[in-house]
Amino acid sequence: MNFYSDNEALAFHLHHPGMKKCVDMKERGYAEKDQYDYAPRDFEDAMDNYDKVMEIIGDISANVLAANAEEVDHQGPSVENYRVRYADGTRMNHEKLTQAGVYGIALPRTYGGLNFSMVPYVMAAEIVSRADAGFANIWGLQDCAETIYEFASEEIKREFLPRIHQGATCSMDLTEPDAGSDLQAVQLKATYDEKRQLWMLNGVKRFITNGDAEIKLVLARSEEGTRDGRGLSYFVHDKAWGGVKVRRIENKMGIKGSPTCELVFENAPAKLIGDRKMGLIKYVMTLMNGARLGVGAQSVGLSEAAYREALKYAGEREQFGQAIIKFPAVYEMLAMMRAKTDATRTLLYETSRQVDVSKSYAVLVNEGEKLTPEQRADMKLAQRNADMLTPILKMFSSEYANQNAYDAIQVHGGTGFMKDFPVERLYRDARILTIYEGTSQLQVVAAIRHILNGNLGKYIEELAAHPVKADFAHLTTQLKAMTETLAAAIEQVKGMGSDELIDFHARRLVEIGGHIVMGYLLVQDADRCDCFRKSAEVFIQFSRCEVEKHAAYIRTFVPENIDLYK
Amino acid sequence: MSFRIVVLAKQVPDTRNVGKDAMKADGTINRAALPAIFNPEDLNALEMAIQMKEKIKDAEVVVLTMGPSRASEIIREAMYRGADGGYLVSDMKFAGADTLATSYTLSMALKKLQPFQVLISGRQAIDGDTAQVGPQTAEKLNMPQITYAEELVDITEKDVTVKRRLERGVETVKSPLPCLVTVHGSAQECRPRHAVRVMKYKYAATPSEAQQRGSDYTEWFSQHPYLQIGEWTAADLDAEPERLGLSGSPTKVKKVDNVVLAHKEASVMPATDEAIDTLIQELMATHVIG
């Protein structure tokens, strides 16, 4: 079994035409081939590397992670002497992936990484999540390395980054009992110790995923007397320095293998990342976007797992003298699961490419390279698209993962409610996806301004301009009509004249926009491979009705009636 | 490198996933119907070899395999997991070799790899299940041997200590080097492919493979010695021709029978204490338990 090679959609997205630009930018003239014996010689060589490393991850995911998932879910982690003890399977998973040398996948080679583009990095997260969405957090927190790489001093980079490839685990310590969605309220205190030339952290963090990690990024209040986000800085703490205790771990509904910790910091030494006061407003916001992309990957991986379980069962289970997959009520559910999975996956990799290009430009700028006006414009566009698509992806993929897990149980009937089949675990694991790293409601907040200011409209225009074969004309015609509906709905909402009404309808607008984007991306996929034709047709059929529903709600809404909802 | 560990490995048909096309009408294995894989216990041996390398300064792991040209696949596979290089012994003259001719051929190849300190292989290959090739090779090279190894306890530049898995327990033995170790399937599973190693070694090839890949590749290949997999034919081995292949093989397969395993007679007993007592006494009498 191999979770990469058994899923043709993955190689399809990995080999998207847009990859040439991503990889060329990441490898910068393929100059490192003379310095590192594992650096690629050219684009084809790099793509071949990606394929081969995805195969390694697909192998370990299918044969180790997936095989351990049930046991990890039952055993879970525990706390002994203020330290987390992972479930046995979790330890084995981490050990195998470390042995395979796949941690630090996106980091530059000079820090022990593989220097891969974001696309295979995100794909690895999807593959791991299909096997065990809970373990995907421990895997995915290597994202912290990205933050260190982008913002920390060279000295801190040299100290911490090479350890990622060796298997050092990470955590990002943001939330506190009174600071969840509202991180401006963070109170954990950072004071500078002149004698030790280190910052000292004191306070409590709560709901910290993988909180006993070796490398911790901690958001703390460095400016005494401040009360908002501008008084917060970002720090790195090494577990070996001591000072952090795990007081307890949460007993959760799902992703049980991933320890969620309450931490007590008592004079825990730390080093400042980047500049003071920029912790929340710059670094955490960047980290958060990466984490949201990670949840997108986790959601798509879980959707894939749910779809496959449901498909298998529906083909095997017989009722009324035939396999239940023969009944319209069942095959419709399966077709929708497949379409939602394909739709969010194509959005996942489109977003990844935009993030990738934008990050590659950021590296050039950081290194003081002068960009041409065309490059500058291209960088801005990629950044804007990345910022816009990330919350749309996070919202849709996590909501669909929940719907798919729900339907996977429904297909199983009473059997699915039992612990004997993996779908009940998928259902529990899925539930957090619409909540952490920003709830769906907060994704709407992040996405809506791009819809109101016309950014999304411009992006949709670009998608519409992409030529496809004539036999997809009936789909693009429908998408054009939906785009007009969106424009009208935006005007109606703006015309209602209050910010509160805009907030009230924001989700409806974001959903309409998301449907159009995923619809166009699916048509492009179907144009490249017939294997996506069905999903494109099924999804756009569904989208038409969803868009119409939301538009009708807005059209018929009487603004004064908002009071009825209070 | 002063300390050389040679892994004997074999590419075998995957007999664990046997379908109905696995055997030809004449009773021989239909290799085309079965995927070629790294013999599973040789992977255990490779893992132990890599563990040895990790304990000895400046040690190297070299894989030696005999087989058709595509058997270079398992040398690359070993390199992806931790081996430093390998040699393929390949010649039509080796075809039809039994364990005697095989061990002779390998021993002649190993003479070219001397001095080495450890020779290590899987206990047996899943296609022949003889467990003879390792010990016969060691005999020809006049080396001590440890069979059924399950765990590496220690290794120094002079000796190796290994736990052996025996039918009724575990035995820890120490042997001076050089020595042969054959590894049991209960030993530690081989580590996965390492991403960096895969990217580094994916173009590794024998000289014949390199030629087929075209001129652009040949230059790259010659500039990077670590990509070069050794390739030896009968002529390179200084071997006596009559001891190779079919002519060097006294083993002849006379006939292969298709056996259909049938149920033996089953007995049904009631779920009472007396019946269970009777069953237990019966099992003790036939030494199944006790």
Side-chain angles (χ1 to χ4, degrees):
Chain A
M1 284 270 279
N2 189 307
F3 282 1
Y4 173 65
S5 51
D6 78 352
N7 184 357
E8 61 178 348
L10 295 179
F12 174 85
H13 286 295
L14 186 59
H15 291 270
H16 186 278
M19 284 305 284
K20 180 82 170 74
K21 180 179 177 184
C22 292
V23 181
D24 283 355
M25 287 189 77
K26 188 78 188 179
E27 291 294 346
R28 303 172 72 178
Y30 302 90
E32 290 196 343
K33 66 174 180 298
D34 303 319
Q35 202 181 342
Y36 298 95
D37 53 19
Y38 61 95
R41 290 186 286 169
D42 49 32
F43 172 67
E44 286 72 26
D45 198 17
M47 290 305 295
D48 183 54
N49 284 345
Y50 293 174
D51 266 324
K52 288 191 157 62
V53 172
M54 290 304 107
E55 257 173 47
I56 297 177
I57 294 168
D59 173 27
I60 296 174
S61 295
N63 301 310
V64 181
L65 273 54
N68 285 338
E70 187 183 345
E71 185 61 34
V72 166
D73 181 54
H74 290 168
Q75 187 189 4
S78 54
V79 178
E80 289 165 20
N81 298 320
Y82 304 112
R83 300 265 73 101
V84 168
R85 190 184 155 78
Y86 286 141
D88 297 338
T90 306
R91 272 205 302 282
M92 191 205 281
N93 296 347
H94 181 62
E95 188 187 304
K96 287 282 175 198
L97 287 164
T98 306
Q99 282 181 339
V102 289
Y103 279 104
I105 189 165
L107 278 179
R109 295 182 184 89
T110 179
Y111 303 114
L114 306 185
N115 201 48
F116 278 18
S117 135
M118 283 303 288
V119 175
Y121 176 40
V122 168
M123 192 167 283
E126 187 203 320
I127 295 169
V128 166
S129 304
R130 175 179 152 197
D132 181 348
F135 185 76
N137 283 341
I138 294 165
W139 163 263
L141 277 161
Q142 60 178 302
D143 227 38
C144 292
E146 289 285 305
T147 308
I148 296 177
Y149 171 59
E150 280 174 46
F151 302 115
S153 66
E154 188 58 28
E155 186 197 333
I156 291 179
K157 289 186 203 177
R158 293 274 157 214
E159 183 178 354
F160 288 94
L161 293 181
R163 290 165 59 192
I164 304 290
H165 184 69
Q166 312 295 334
T169 53
C170 301
S171 68
M172 46 172 175
D173 302 8
L174 308 179
T175 48
E176 296 179 4
D178 293 317
S181 291
D182 179 15
L183 285 172
Q184 299 187 81
V186 158
Q187 285 177 18
L188 190 112
K189 215 169 150 186
T191 39
Y192 193 65
D193 183 332
E194 290 288 348
K195 227 162 66 191
R196 297 180 65 179
Q197 303 237 316
L198 282 168
W199 290 82
M200 291 293 148
L201 305 179
N202 283 285
V204 176
K205 289 280 178 190
R206 190 175 167 215
F207 289 173
I208 305 305
T209 302
N210 203 29
D212 199 21
E214 278 134 310
I215 301 173
K216 306 172 77 58
L217 298 183
V218 188
L219 184 66
R221 191 161 295 282
S222 56
E223 313 307 312
E224 220 181 327
T226 57
R227 315 191 83 182
D228 64 7
R230 287 166 295 181
L232 300 174
S233 302
Y234 213 26
F235 298 90
V236 58
H237 166 82
D238 186 332
K239 185 176 169 180
W241 297 340
V244 182
K245 280 182 183 168
V246 180
R247 187 148 70 185
R248 56 188 285 265
I249 52 177
E250 306 294 336
N251 184 8
K252 303 194 297 296
M253 170 182 177
I255 55 164
K256 290 173 94 83
S258 159
T260 306
C261 305
E262 187 167 306
L263 305 172
V264 182
F265 288 71
E266 289 167 330
N267 276 328
K271 293 183 179 177
L272 180 69
I273 289 187
D275 298 320
R276 276 167 76 163
K277 304 183 197 175
M278 300 300 276
L280 181 66
I281 52 185
K282 184 161 181 202
Y283 310 143
V284 171
M285 281 306 151
T286 310
L287 179 75
M288 197 57 95
N289 263 341
R292 286 173 180 171
L293 188 59
V295 178
Q298 204 174 14
S299 301
V300 174
L302 193 139
S303 279
E304 181 71 30
Y307 169 68
R308 283 179 185 250
E309 292 297 339
L311 181 68
K312 181 162 163 272
Y313 187 81
E316 287 167 358
R317 171 71 172 170
E318 290 191 4
Q319 288 289 276
F320 307 104
Q322 59 179 343
I324 59 171
I325 196 170
K326 302 276 187 205
F327 296 103
V330 176
Y331 64 64
E332 184 190 343
M333 267 194 275
L334 289 162
M336 278 311 300
M337 290 171 81
R338 173 73 198 256
K340 286 171 181 168
T341 307
D342 284 340
T344 44
R345 181 179 284 123
T346 192
L347 180 58
L348 173 66
Y349 294 112
E350 166 67 2
T351 309
S352 304
R353 286 188 297 272
Q354 302 282 357
V355 172
D356 200 37
V357 169
S358 131
K359 276 182 184 252
S360 288
Y361 275 124
V363 171
L364 293 182
V365 171
N366 271 349
E367 291 178 2
E369 198 153 316
K370 198 113 181 75
L371 300 184
T372 64
E374 293 78 37
Q375 284 178 313
R376 194 159 288 284
D378 194 39
M379 173 173 85
K380 280 219 160 112
L381 184 67
Q383 275 170 351
R384 192 194 75 193
N385 286 345
D387 285 350
M388 175 179 75
L389 294 177
T390 299
I392 298 178
L393 162 75
K394 203 277 180 181
M395 183 186 86
F396 269 98
S397 63
S398 62
E399 295 288 343
Y400 283 176
N402 273 278
Q403 293 171 17
N404 285 340
Y406 179 98
D407 284 347
I409 290 187
Q410 198 66 19
V411 168
H412 279 69
T415 310
F417 193 63
M418 309 301 159
K419 294 263 180 190
D420 305 337
F421 282 75
V423 282
E424 68 84 27
R425 171 169 53 81
L426 297 179
Y427 183 73
R428 288 184 288 108
D429 286 354
R431 195 60 195 85
I432 189 64
L433 300 171
T434 61
I435 298 169
Y436 65 7
E437 313 306 353
T439 58
S440 293
Q441 288 67 25
L442 281 174
Q443 304 309 311
V444 170
V445 173
I448 188 64
R449 69 190 170 91
H450 293 285
I451 292 179
L452 298 177
N453 71 9
N455 282 348
L456 187 82
K458 283 185 211 141
Y459 175 70
I460 290 173
E461 268 174 41
E462 283 167 38
L463 289 175
H466 184 98
V468 291
K469 290 185 207 90
D471 48 342
F472 294 109
H474 64 294
L475 294 179
T476 49
T477 308
Q478 289 174 34
L479 289 164
K480 277 203 186 79
M482 288 183 225
T483 309
E484 284 161 23
T485 308
L486 173 63
I490 291 172
E491 287 316 307
Q492 278 155 6
V493 172
K494 279 182 176 170
M496 290 177 189
S498 88
D499 287 349
E500 192 180 1
L501 279 159
I502 290 176
D503 290 347
F504 185 75
H505 289 298
R507 180 154 184 167
R508 282 176 267 279
L509 295 177
V510 173
E511 293 215 5
I512 295 174
H515 274 283
I516 299 168
V517 169
M518 287 186 284
Y520 271 116
L521 291 172
L522 275 175
V523 170
Q524 288 181 17
D525 292 348
D527 189 52
R528 263 207 307 140
C529 174
D530 207 50
C531 54
F532 293 103
R533 179 183 290 269
K534 269 193 188 176
S535 279
E537 295 274 3
V538 169
F539 191 76
I540 291 170
Q541 171 67 33
F542 170 67
S543 295
R544 265 169 94 177
C545 307
E546 286 295 296
V547 167
E548 204 40 58
K549 175 182 85 180
H550 292 309
Y553 196 107
I554 291 168
R555 209 166 44 232
T556 58
F557 191 76
V558 179
E560 296 73 42
N561 281 356
I562 192 168
D563 290 335
L564 299 174
Y565 294 80
K566 293 178 184 170
Chain B
M1 297 273 184
S2 53
F3 193 97
R4 178 175 281 178
I5 303 156
V6 182
V7 182
L8 290 181
K10 186 179 184 186
Q11 192 179 42
V12 294
D14 190 357
T15 54
R16 292 169 306 183
N17 298 310
V18 171
K20 57 183 188 323
D21 308 325
M23 304 292 276
K24 291 194 230 168
D26 63 1
T28 56
I29 292 176
N30 180 10
R31 287 179 194 267
L34 295 168
I37 59 163
F38 205 120
N39 179 49
E41 287 188 327
D42 294 344
L43 277 174
N44 298 105
L46 175 64
E47 173 61 30
M48 201 176 281
I50 299 167
Q51 289 175 8
M52 289 174 178
K53 176 187 153 111
E54 288 170 345
K55 290 182 177 224
I56 302 271
K57 199 169 169 284
D58 283 338
E60 65 167 348
V61 173
V62 173
V63 180
L64 176 66
T65 187
M66 178 174 126
S69 53
R70 75 162 182 181
S72 61
E73 286 166 7
I74 66 164
I75 296 177
R76 274 187 293 276
E77 181 68 41
M79 289 161 94
Y80 298 160
R81 296 176 191 240
D84 299 287
Y87 293 84
L88 169 69
V89 184
S90 187
D91 198 316
M92 284 308 288
K93 293 186 179 122
F94 302 144
D98 67 2
T99 61
L100 190 71
T102 301
S103 60
Y104 172 70
T105 313
L106 291 173
S107 71
M108 294 311 285
L110 284 162
K111 281 182 184 165
K112 289 172 73 83
L113 289 173
Q114 277 169 336
F116 55 84
Q117 282 66 32
V118 180
L119 181 60
I120 187 165
S121 75
R123 173 188 54 148
Q124 63 190 36
I126 52 172
D127 55 350
D129 283 335
T130 66
Q132 291 167 0
V133 171
Q136 286 184 6
T137 308
E139 275 302 298
K140 291 187 173 67
L141 296 168
N142 210 11
M143 284 164 56
Q145 48 182 279
I146 303 173
T147 53
Y148 295 94
E150 186 175 68
E151 189 188 327
L152 176 67
V153 178
D154 194 21
I155 185 162
T156 69
E157 293 187 5
K158 293 197 174 60
D159 48 46
V160 62
T161 312
V162 159
K163 267 189 194 159
R164 304 179 66 215
R165 167 57 53 185
L166 303 177
E167 212 170 323
R168 285 170 187 268
V170 175
E171 181 181 67
T172 303
V173 293
K174 186 174 185 174
S175 164
L177 297 177
C179 158
L180 166 83
V181 179
T182 72
V183 183
H184 192 257
S186 60
Q188 200 170 325
E189 191 188 340
C190 191
R191 65 197 61 193
R193 291 178 180 182
H194 191 283
V196 171
R197 300 187 69 90
V198 168
M199 294 188 271
K200 176 177 175 178
Y201 288 115
K202 64 181 186 174
Y203 293 118
T206 59
S208 355
E209 286 173 322
Q211 263 180 356
Q212 288 166 11
R213 289 187 195 170
S215 54
D216 174 42
Y217 175 74
T218 326
E219 197 188 327
W220 179 263
F221 182 73
S222 58
Q223 285 166 357
H224 296 84
Y226 60 83
L227 296 178
Q228 296 163 14
I229 295 175
E231 188 176 29
W232 291 328
T233 63
D236 297 316
L237 296 187
D238 220 7
E240 300 166 38
E242 65 280 7
R243 293 181 70 181
L244 299 174
L246 208 54
S247 62
S249 302
T251 313
K252 303 281 178 266
V253 178
K254 194 178 162 206
K255 181 173 160 234
V256 175
D257 285 326
N258 276 321
V259 179
V260 179
L261 295 175
H263 279 284
K264 283 193 176 167
E265 195 182 330
S267 58
V268 179
M269 54 194 64
T272 61
D273 286 348
E274 298 82 57
I276 291 167
D277 281 344
T278 317
L279 173 65
I280 286 176
Q281 273 160 23
E282 202 178 302
L283 291 176
M284 284 171 74
T286 51
H287 299 290
V288 173
I289 58 170

